[in-house]
Amino acid sequence: MKTELLKIAGMSCGGCTSKVTSALKVVSGVSDVNVSLSAGEATVHYDEQLTSAEQLKAVVKEVGYRVDITDTARNPQGKGCCSN
């Protein structure tokens, strides 16, 4: 098992964290997901033989958020799920 810390930009509410959590949990090989709105992060535990960090990042992007590996994600640039 491997753990990946994803910096996620654009989350603005609990709905956003639920959306990201749900998207990551359906990825094959993911065993646990913890998304923090205040930190703008997702901690993902997964089997690296079934998925990869790049696949996890792609899933987050598919549901509408930016994913970074640096602290620049702490300054949200996305709209979030509730913004127009």
Side-chain angles (χ1 to χ4, degrees):
M1 287 300 230
K2 189 169 181 177
T3 301
E4 187 72 28
L5 179 65
L6 304 174
K7 305 284 186 174
I8 302 174
M11 295 189 300
S12 60
C13 67
C16 295
T17 60
S18 293
K19 190 174 181 181
V20 171
T21 300
S22 296
L24 289 168
K25 281 187 174 182
V26 298
V27 175
S28 179
V30 171
S31 63
D32 189 42
V33 177
N34 184 4
V35 180
S36 170
L37 176 61
S38 61
E41 298 174 342
T43 304
V44 185
H45 302 279
Y46 65 97
D47 183 337
E48 63 270 24
Q49 293 186 355
L50 298 175
T51 192
S52 68
E54 290 306 314
Q55 288 174 317
L56 299 174
K57 292 174 189 176
V59 166
V60 173
K61 289 177 183 178
E62 284 175 17
V63 294
Y65 302 93
R66 254 192 50 227
V67 183
D68 292 319
I69 55 171
T70 65
D71 285 338
T72 58
R74 294 194 185 274
N75 298 319
Q77 295 179 7
K79 294 181 181 179
C81 68
C82 344
S83 302
N84 294 351

